[in-house]
Structure formats: structure tokens, C-alpha cells
Amino acid sequence: MSLASMTTVVEPATEVAVTAQPAHWSRYLRPVLGFILPVTLAVGWELAVRYGYSNGRLVPPPSVIFRTFVELAETGELQQHAFITLWRVFAGFALGVSAGTILGALTGYSGLTHRLVDPTLQALRSIPSIAWVPLFLLWFGIFETSKVTLIAVGVFFPVYLGVMGAVLSVDRKIVEVGRAFRLSGFAMVRRILLPAVLPTYVISLRAGLGLGWMFVVAAEFLGASQGLGYLLVDGQQLGKPAQIVAAIVAFAILGKITDTLLAVVTTPFLRWEDRFARG
Amino acid sequence: MLTIDRVGKTYPNGVRALDGISLDVGPGEIVVVVGGSGCGKSTLLRAVAGLDIASQGRVGLDGDTITAPHEKIGIIFQEPRLLPWLTVADNVGFGLEHLPKTQRRERVAAALDRVGLADKAGAWPRELSGGQAQRVAIARALVPQPQVLLLDEPFSALDAFTRADLQDHLLDLWADTKPTLIMVTHDVEEAIVLADRILVMRPRPGRIYEEIIDDLPRPRDRQSAAFDFVKRRVLAALDRSLDRAVSVDERTEKAEAGAHSWW
Ligand SMILES: Nc1ncnc2c1ncn2[C@@H]1O[C@H](COP(=O)(O)OP(=O)(O)O)[C@@H](O)[C@H]1O
Ligand SMILES: [Mg+2]
């Protein structure tokens, strides 16, 4: 009895002292905390170059990078390179996702296909994908086909593994509901399996997209005359570090935009999820 | 008429879950199956549902042999098993895909109204309580108007109040179309409240051990002496089914304790 009355007395007091204050704090300041380090470094470097402590040739200060970025954009060069890179990622992504989805669904759904195909794919997966480059160049030439193929290979594996794992782990009890309603074959896939794997699928799509961006850089390092990756190589060969950093910034922006787009487009399909962290 | 004729089931691992089960259940009859854990109750329901195929014997419904899920047989599991990506209304309408949209919507709305969840039509399954979710599952199974409805411990995960409420509710819904009900439970009172006939099963291999006719007048009063009498009979049969030898004069006292420990 006395214990119960004690806690009721004590609780409000601690709440005011401990929780109220940081709640006020965090709302405005916590997001800002993350910016302190990069902004300090950037401003520090800018000042260091401006006051002559460093010439900033190898590590250009933020103002120079920004100027290079704007110059590249004004001539339309940046957009052109970005566009070609985007196109490559898109084509490779589409191919890799299609193949990964179909093969992942088949190996997840059918035990026979799994035993037939999965060991080979797992063996191929253990090859670092960049190792394929010379072969792709021989087979497909130095133009778009070899680049798109390399990107597709990079996208394929996370999508394949994600879809296969998701199909394999669909709750047997839910599948049984489908069976009780006499679903089979395509109807079972459309009405039960597909929606059940959707959350995992979206995650593997995003992982695949990330790898797509990684592999487009690799592909464009190897004999491209266009693309953001070419800007990187070109910047290195002509000794223009600002151009390199500007291209990196462009990669970061595009990568973030495409990932966010994928997330936004898929969110309406996942509203039903009972997630630990929502919103 | 649902006919179960000398049905046996041996699982691939060698477990003989059922042996020589024969049972005829007439239209509109309510049969409740009780018995110790692992005595094949779920196996029996799954064979009738066509989710598993019996190793011996035959399950028939009006001349059809059941070897796969049948459109006239519905099943409700221990868990609601709602599809989390469908709203409550779409879950209820899951088995009505073949109907035109307007008709489907009418049937679903009527069913949701009938289980008292009309206001939850647009909700996601995750937003329901356990009892509400199980009511949606009942609506989903009933909306295609099955001739036979199978229920495998449908209320066992719910608290006592919700359970009693849903038992009444189930009888209400049953009265609409009077399907044949076969229900498994480990709650003896639930069995007596609902059943026309109570089957006590016995394990290894699963057989029907005893049949108790429950012809108490409906609605049934759990407090009545007649109810208590049937309850003692069922508990005694359960005790016997588990080879728990109990002397005749001890049985009455043990019955109460047995109610909590036999399953
Ligand atoms: N899929 C299965 N594979 C092998 N054995 C099973 C399987 N399902 C149930 N059994 C066994 O069959 C027996 C009956 O199980 P079950 O029908 O689930 O019993 P109950 O529902 O009465 O508790 C048990 O001994 C159980 O271990
Ligand atoms: Mg069971």
C-alpha cells in the first residue's frame, strides 16, 4: 500500500526533472548535432586555404568545389554525364531486377528448380563481380552492353537472394489460408505469396539499387567517354580534384534521390505492415 | 451429410495420428471433439478440410470425396490468420473473388454487421484485438456460406469473457444458415454449451473413445445442475481416455481438478 502511494508521489517529480528537459533539447538540437563535425571541417578548410595555410590544390576548398559544380552545370556537361549514368543504372537495374525476381521466385517456390539452379548461382555469387569485367569487355565490347551487363549482375544477386529468401519464409499458416480457399498456382502467387514477400522485396530492391550505383562507377572507370564515372577518371588524369569531388557530390545526390523515390513509390503498398518503427 | 469412413492417418515420420475414425454428421449438427493433446483432433479436422489427405479411409460430403479443400467446407484455425495486407473488409471478402464487386461488397458489409464490426471495415488486421480478429476470421469463413464449418480450438487464445461472448456469437451466426459444425476445443464447458454431440478422443493412435449426447435445452445455463451433470460425464470420460484410473466415488471430486489438468 505504502509503496504504491510512494511511487505516485515520486513519479511526477522525476518526470519533470529527467524527461522534460531533454525532450525540449532534442527536438531542436539533436538533428543539428550531426552537422557540427562536417560543417566545422568545411569552414575550417575554407579558412585554411583562404589565409594561405594550404594551397588547396589537391584538396580543393568547398567554395571551389561549389564553383566547379555550378560551372559544369551551366555548360550542361554535368546534366549530360548524369543523364547517361542514370540511364545505365536504370537499364542495368531493370535487367537485374527482372532476372533476380523471376529466378528468386522460381527457386523459392519450387524445390526442384532450387536444387537445379541455386548451387550454380551461389557459386557465381562468390565471384567478385568486378572480375567479370574483362570477359564482358571481350564479349560485349567497350560500349553500353558491357556496362549495363555489369550493373545488372551487381543488382541481380541481392534481388535474387531477397526474393528467394522471402518466398521461402512465407508463413505456412497464411499459405494454408490460401489453400483452404482453393487457391493454387498463379492465384496463390498473386493473392498470397506476392503480397507476403513485398516488404522484403522492397528492401532487396533498395539494396540492388545501391549496388547498381556502385557498379556503374566501376563500369564507367573502364573505357567510358561519358558519364559521372568518366568525370571522375577525367578529373584524375587532368589533375582536377574539384571536378572529382563535384562528380562524387552528383553521385551522392542522385543515389539519394533514386533511393528515396523507390521508398516513396513503394510506401503505399506497405501501409499494412505492423512494424516496430513506423512513420 | 458429412461422412467420415474408417479414416486413418500416418504421418511420413511414422506417427499414427488417427486410426479407424468413423463418424456421420448430419446437416446442421454441432459436433464438438475433445481429447488430450496430441490425440489427433487437428489431424482429423485437416483431413475433413482437405488440407491433408487421409492415409486410409474416406471423407465424403454428399457424395463428393474430399481430397482437397472443398468450396462447401470452411475452416477456422486457432489463430485468426487474417491476411495482414488486406483491410478487414477485404479479408472477409477473400473467398468471394468470383462474385461481382457490388454483390461482394454487400455480402461483406452484411457479414461485418453480423459480427458487430461494421465500423472496422477499413481497418488493418493489426489494429484489431484478438477477439475482434477471430470474429473477422469467423465472418471470412461464413461469408461463402459453407455447408460444413470446421473450427480448431478457435477461442483458446482468448480470455474467458471474450471466449464466452464469442461462443454465444457463434451460435447466433450458426442459426442464420445452420451449417454443420465440427469444433475442437479443450474447454469442457465450451463443448457442453455448443454441442449436440461430444466426441472424446484417445491418443496413440487417435481414436474416438466415447460419444456423449448433449441434449440440454438451448440456450444452455452453465449454472444448472443438468449442465454440471454433463460436465462430470465428459470429464470422467476424458480421465478414462487417458487411462487415468479413478475409482467411482473419487470421480466427482477429481472432476473439478481434472478440468484444469487433463489437456
Ligand atoms: N505434420 C506432422 N508431421 C508429423 N507428425 C505430426 C504432424 N502433425 C501432427 N503430428 C503428430 O500427430 C499426432 C496428432 O497431432 P494433432 O492432430 O495435432 O493433435 P491434437 O490436435 O489433438 O493436439 C501428434 O502425436 C503429433 O505429434
Ligand atoms: Mg491441435
Side-chain angles (χ1 to χ4, degrees), chain A residues 176 179 191 271-273, chain B residues 46 51 81 84 94 126:
Chain A
E176 216 164 70
R179 286 186 58 212
R191 299 187 64 196
R271 269 181 309 148
W272 53 270
E273 264 191 306
Chain B
R46 294 175 59 84
L51 289 171
R81 300 200 189 180
F94 191 76
R126 65 172 147 83

Side-chain angles (χ1 to χ4, degrees), chain B residues 11-13 15-18 35-44 52 152-153 184 204:
Chain B
Y11 280 108
N13 62 1
V15 174
R16 281 177 72 204
L18 294 177
S37 180
C39 69
K41 306 181 297 290
S42 296
T43 306
L44 176 62
D52 281 337
D152 192 355
E153 306 198 14
V184 170
R204 283 179 297 277

Side-chain angles (χ1 to χ4, degrees), chain B residues 56-118:
Chain B
Q56 295 100 37
R58 171 182 176 272
V59 178
L61 178 65
D62 296 337
D64 289 358
T65 297
I66 306 298
T67 52
H70 191 282
E71 61 175 328
K72 297 211 169 110
I73 301 180
I75 185 163
I76 294 168
F77 302 95
Q78 180 173 352
E79 325 79 23
R81 300 200 189 180
L82 301 181
L83 305 175
W85 54 84
L86 296 180
T87 60
V88 165
D90 287 341
N91 264 290
V92 173
F94 191 76
L96 301 178
E97 184 92 327
H98 56 283
L99 293 183
K101 207 170 189 166
T102 44
Q103 209 178 331
R104 189 175 359 152
R105 207 175 296 152
E106 270 168 33
R107 295 259 294 262
V108 167
L112 276 176
D113 201 33
R114 200 69 189 80
V115 295
L117 290 173

Side-chain angles (χ1 to χ4, degrees), chain B residues 1-223:
Chain B
M1 174 76 98
L2 180 77
T3 317
I4 300 168
D5 184 22
R6 281 162 292 171
V7 162
K9 174 77 186 178
T10 308
Y11 280 108
N13 62 1
V15 174
R16 281 177 72 204
L18 294 177
D19 185 35
I21 304 267
S22 290
L23 175 67
D24 286 342
V25 190
E29 196 181 354
I30 304 180
V31 170
V32 175
V33 180
V34 297
S37 180
C39 69
K41 306 181 297 290
S42 296
T43 306
L44 176 62
L45 279 203
R46 294 175 59 84
V48 175
L51 289 171
D52 281 337
I53 298 169
S55 326
Q56 295 100 37
R58 171 182 176 272
V59 178
L61 178 65
D62 296 337
D64 289 358
T65 297
I66 306 298
T67 52
H70 191 282
E71 61 175 328
K72 297 211 169 110
I73 301 180
I75 185 163
I76 294 168
F77 302 95
Q78 180 173 352
E79 325 79 23
R81 300 200 189 180
L82 301 181
L83 305 175
W85 54 84
L86 296 180
T87 60
V88 165
D90 287 341
N91 264 290
V92 173
F94 191 76
L96 301 178
E97 184 92 327
H98 56 283
L99 293 183
K101 207 170 189 166
T102 44
Q103 209 178 331
R104 189 175 359 152
R105 207 175 296 152
E106 270 168 33
R107 295 259 294 262
V108 167
L112 276 176
D113 201 33
R114 200 69 189 80
V115 295
L117 290 173
D119 57 323
K120 296 281 182 192
W124 298 111
R126 65 172 147 83
E127 295 161 343
L128 302 180
S129 71
Q132 291 172 332
Q134 197 58 298
R135 273 192 278 168
V136 174
I138 294 173
R140 176 176 68 182
L142 280 174
V143 97
Q145 296 171 347
Q147 251 177 51
V148 177
L149 184 62
L150 309 168
L151 304 103
D152 192 355
E153 306 198 14
F155 307 141
S156 63
L158 306 173
D159 62 89
F161 286 118
T162 314
R163 200 184 311 168
D165 182 42
L166 281 188
Q167 288 159 6
D168 293 342
H169 214 92
L170 179 67
L171 281 177
D172 253 18
L173 294 169
W174 169 82
D176 288 348
T177 54
K178 294 219 165 58
T180 302
L181 290 193
I182 304 183
M183 171 158 164
V184 170
T185 182
H186 61 233
D187 177 342
V188 173
E189 291 198 9
E190 177 169 285
I192 301 166
V193 166
L194 297 174
D196 293 321
R197 203 155 34 126
I198 297 171
L199 301 177
V200 181
M201 285 182 69
R202 129 170 242 175
R204 283 179 297 277
R207 284 153 293 166
I208 295 176
Y209 177 67
E210 219 171 295
E211 181 177 300
I212 294 161
I213 304 291
D214 180 0
D215 53 3
L216 299 173
R218 295 173 189 270
R220 287 168 179 169
D221 175 8
R222 289 161 201 258
Q223 258 45 269

